[in-house]
Each structure stands twice: as C-alpha cells, then as structure tokens.
Amino acid sequence: MLKLAVFVSGRGSNLKAILNSPNLKELVVVKAVVSNKADCKAFGIARENSIDTFTLGSGEGKVSYDKLNDLLKSLEIDLVVLAGFLKMIPADVVRTFKNRIINIHPALLPSFGGKGMYGINVHKAVFDSSAQVSGVTVHFVDEHYDTGRIIAQRCVDISGVKSPEEIAGKVLKEEHKLLPFVIQKFAEDKIVIENNRVKIIN
Ligand code: GRF
C-alpha cells in the first residue's frame, strides 16, 4: 500500500474523492491529513475516516514547519498530495521527497498559476481572459508556486460559461477524477520521467 499524506486548507472535496475512489481502495492508505488551519472542514472528513490530523504552525499541539520533514519520515510517507494547501512546502521537505510531492491546480498550467492564484482568483482570471478552455493540472512540487513538472492535465470547455463560479464547478468535477487517477498511477509505479518529461504508462 502506498502511504499518503494529504495536505489541505479548506473544504476537502479532493480528499473525499481520494478516500471514496474505488480504484484506490486496495492501493493506498491515507496516513495523515495535514493543514495550517486547525478548523478546516477537511479535518472533519479526516476524523470521520479515523485518519490522524496534524496542524502546522507554532504553539501547543502544532507541528512546526521545521519538524514537518521528520513527521513525514516517521510516518513513512511515500507520496505527499497537496489538495488545496496554500502554503509553501519547506525546501528540506521538497528535497527529501523529490518527485514524491504532487499538487492539484484548478487551471491549465503554466497559465493562471503562481502566488495568489488559488481558489476563485484563478477562475476569475480565466474568466476575465476570455479563455475558451480551462482545466486541471496535477504537477510535481518544487520550491516555487505551481512551477514543477506537469504530470497530467484535463481540459474543460468553458466557451458557454456565465461566471467564474461556473468555471469552478466544471473544473472541480474533473479534479475529482484526475487526482485519484494520478495517485493510482503512482501506486502502480506507472509514472516515469524521460527526457525531462513526465510520462504515464498505460
Ligand atoms: C481545489 O480547487 C484545488 O485544485 C485547489 O484548491 C481547491 C481545494 O478544494 N488547489 P477542496 O478543499 O479539495 O475541495
């Protein structure tokens, strides 16, 4: 079983998609749900599923960012999944878990990414640009926001949309399919890097 740590900040619908994916049931186990927000909805989902939660920050009962690497190592985490986590992952963790941290972004990178590009901000920027397609990107995490190698993308037709919220809804549906798919491929060891490009083996 591939051992996952899922990092969240908000409602946790992608966490739910991972936990509910029939294809992942026999392949992965979510060992930890981690957030910088102790009161996030996603922690509720973790607790309902008897998964340990860890809050990052300073103060009692929290895990400091410089202890994060040790925590992940002690839990023997194989893959870190950022599903709505908004903070930068410390450089020592990025180094230790090279090509083993993935992030889901609700647009087609390398457009509409970077600092401040999260949540509805992304969809507003896409809407205002008059782009006719948007989509989902799952990529490796490096020391910068949204710049790591792209693993998989799916497009969504947004030619008829009337609002950023409508884009968000369409994209989220694809997120819930693409993230479990990529995790499954990891678990099956079917993600390889060749000539600086990521390839998913069928
Ligand atoms: C998703 O849109 C994800 O792409 C982005 O943050 C959002 C998290 O949503 N990185 P949820 O908490 O999984 O519902």
Side-chain angles (χ1 to χ4, degrees), residues 143-159:
E143 286 93 342
H144 310 280
Y145 282 111
D146 301 326
T147 58
R149 277 200 194 92
I150 293 169
I151 302 167
Q153 294 181 300
R154 292 290 180 272
C155 292
V156 173
D157 178 4
I158 55 163
S159 54

Side-chain angles (χ1 to χ4, degrees), residues 8-16 42 82-86 103-107 118-119 123 136-137 168 171-172 175-176:
V8 293
S9 293
R11 81 200 136 176
S13 69
N14 279 288
L15 169 65
K16 219 178 206 169
L82 309 187
F85 186 70
L86 302 178
N103 178 49
I104 183 154
H105 185 77
Y118 60 86
H123 305 298
V136 187
T137 304
V171 168
L172 192 65
E175 293 187 44
H176 295 162

